[in-house]
Amino acid sequence: MMNEKLIACIQSERIVPLFRKKSQAFISALVPVLAQTGFHTVEITMESSEAAASINAIKRNDPSFFVGAGTVKPLRMLIEHWMPAQTLSSRQSSMRQ
């Protein structure tokens, strides 16, 4: 269901705004403006130290907003930003086997 909503949203909007190397303050100021103008999707590249915090803030403020995490290169980067420490240690153990 989520995938269908996301696909419909992207097809409707035809543009996904992208934030690359931007601060959380910058992104937090612009996302409400994007929402007011009809956007419901954004992508935030993981090249900023504030990227994960920015994504979490958007989802906290508007859970229906679609947020993509871009430029996630190594699997470890994704795991470190999104998985709780407990899950991370068990995942690393299984990856070593």
Side-chain angles (χ1 to χ4, degrees):
M1 187 69 168
M2 174 69 89
N3 287 339
E4 293 169 2
K5 288 182 180 180
L6 174 59
I7 291 168
C9 188
I10 292 171
Q11 287 175 335
S12 168
E13 294 174 14
R14 302 185 63 128
I15 295 173
V16 177
L18 173 79
F19 293 104
R20 184 169 189 235
K21 297 182 181 179
K22 300 297 181 192
S23 69
Q24 183 178 353
F26 180 87
I27 294 169
S28 293
L30 285 181
V31 167
V33 175
L34 290 170
Q36 290 172 355
T37 58
F39 286 97
H40 300 93
T41 60
V42 294
E43 179 179 340
I44 298 175
T45 65
M46 297 302 290
E47 298 168 309
S48 162
S49 61
E50 298 179 12
S54 297
I55 292 169
N56 287 329
I58 292 169
K59 293 305 286 180
R60 239 186 343 268
N61 292 333
D62 186 352
S64 68
F65 215 88
F66 292 106
V67 184
T71 319
V72 178
K73 294 179 182 174
L75 177 61
R76 181 172 183 79
M77 176 189 259
L78 179 66
I79 292 169
E80 287 173 351
H81 282 291
W82 301 109
M83 291 188 167
Q86 183 177 358
T87 306
L88 177 59
S89 62
S90 65
R91 175 74 61 130
Q92 287 174 333
S93 295
S94 67
M95 290 172 113
R96 286 186 207 126
Q97 297 174 352

